[in-house]
Amino acid sequence: MEIKAIYQDEHLIVVDKPVDLPVHKNDFMPNDAAYLTKLVGDMTGKWIYNVHRLDSKTSGVIVLVFSSEVAHEMTLKFERKEVVKTYHAVVQGNPGNGIFDKKVVVKKKSKFKKPASTRYETLRTVSTNLSYKEKEQVELSLVKVMPETGRWHQIRQHFAQNHNDILGDSHHGDFTLNKLVSADTDIRRLFLHASSLEFQHPVSGEALRFEAELPQEFKVVLDHYCISTDTTTEISG
């Protein structure tokens, strides 16, 4: 599997993580399974440190570092909310613009919840011919998402709580809608993408911003179903 490097220097590397690729190995994976830190280590010939989380089902920008010292500095930046993270997602309905601030569970099968905050902005909404159960001509929206905290599946939980399930979410989402879309388009993925990261370089202090292009599948699905469009801001795929 090829990993696209967006930026690299002697201290860190920023890559565009493919969808359905775990960041690091876990006990449930086969011994020969691919994971990001191993692939990037093989690509660079360096030991790789992971400094923030990106779910295996989420594609997009992630920063990895080459030393424990830089890992410590970058981890602090994330903890102190000095890193600006932007995502894009395709969701059910039209959430508009605002902030989700309900508490979310902290891990799978847990009932313990912590405060979380997710800002969002709807960029494009399409009316579709998708109808099932009590729903008719279901709307789909492309949204820009700016999480202000970093809880487990925070973005996915917040949109599901508000009945704006992220398309392709097999854990929190609308399973009937997911099946209909995958059957129609043959696209099977979580429609959540880490679009950009902004932070000051942990060594030089230089202001950095990195972007990963929106996956083509996002535009393909919206265009496939669109029977009418209420567009706030167009984003090309």
Side-chain angles (χ1 to χ4, degrees):
M1 181 182 296
E2 183 178 353
I3 304 298
K4 179 183 177 182
I6 300 171
Y7 172 86
Q8 181 179 346
D9 63 24
E10 61 183 305
H11 303 290
L12 58 85
I13 184 170
V14 180
V15 303
D16 184 356
K17 187 186 82 66
V19 68
D20 293 327
L21 177 68
V23 172
H24 47 73
K25 190 174 183 180
N26 61 57
D27 295 336
F28 304 103
M29 293 166 53
N31 289 333
D32 60 349
Y35 53 97
L36 184 68
T37 52
K38 181 181 187 301
L39 294 174
V40 175
D42 292 343
M43 183 173 74
T44 61
K46 297 177 180 289
W47 188 264
I48 303 298
Y49 294 80
N50 176 37
V51 294
H52 66 118
R53 291 178 293 182
L54 197 62
D55 186 67
S56 65
K57 295 180 182 295
T58 304
S59 57
V61 180
I62 185 169
V63 58
L64 305 163
V65 304
F66 300 138
S67 71
S68 58
E69 294 81 10
V70 176
H72 175 71
E73 292 300 321
M74 279 303 305
T75 300
L76 289 177
K77 286 183 180 294
F78 279 97
E79 291 177 352
R80 294 191 296 243
K81 301 179 183 178
E82 296 172 356
V83 180
V84 178
K85 298 174 285 186
T86 302
Y87 293 74
H88 284 84
V90 175
V91 307
Q92 183 177 169
N94 180 350
N97 304 331
I99 300 176
F100 293 141
D101 57 7
K102 292 181 181 178
K103 291 183 177 181
V104 298
V105 298
V106 297
K107 62 181 178 180
K108 189 176 182 179
K109 297 183 179 179
S110 170
K111 294 184 178 180
F112 182 66
K113 295 184 177 182
K114 283 190 174 183
S117 179
T118 305
R119 291 189 295 122
Y120 58 92
E121 176 186 345
T122 300
L123 304 177
R124 178 188 181 192
T125 299
V126 302
S127 294
T128 77
N129 57 7
L130 288 164
S131 299
Y132 60 97
K133 298 180 181 177
E134 75 284 358
K135 301 177 181 180
E136 294 185 1
Q137 293 189 338
V138 172
E139 291 183 323
L140 296 175
S141 294
L142 176 67
V143 294
K144 179 181 178 181
V145 187
M146 295 74 70
E148 296 178 342
T149 49
R151 308 301 185 195
W152 174 78
H153 286 190
Q154 174 182 315
I155 298 172
R156 295 162 68 176
Q157 288 192 69
H158 267 158
F159 278 90
Q161 286 173 355
N162 290 275
H163 308 292
N164 296 117
D165 310 86
I166 295 178
L167 191 62
D169 188 345
S170 60
H171 191 88
H172 309 278
D174 186 324
F175 307 127
T176 301
L177 178 61
N178 294 344
K179 288 180 180 178
L180 289 172
V181 171
S182 62
D184 284 347
T185 65
D186 203 30
I187 297 174
R188 294 168 178 81
R189 64 158 293 161
L190 175 68
F191 282 77
L192 180 61
H193 179 70
S195 303
S196 69
L197 282 177
E198 299 177 55
F199 57 90
Q200 288 188 329
H201 194 285
V203 178
S204 70
E206 179 186 1
L208 302 173
R209 186 176 192 276
F210 302 107
E211 296 183 354
E213 185 178 359
L214 195 68
Q216 187 67 21
E217 297 99 321
F218 285 47
K219 188 174 187 298
V220 167
V221 164
L222 290 171
D223 288 349
H224 175 83
Y225 286 111
C226 179
I227 57 176
S228 67
T229 302
D230 175 16
T231 303
T232 305
T233 304
E234 277 284 5
I235 283 196
S236 62

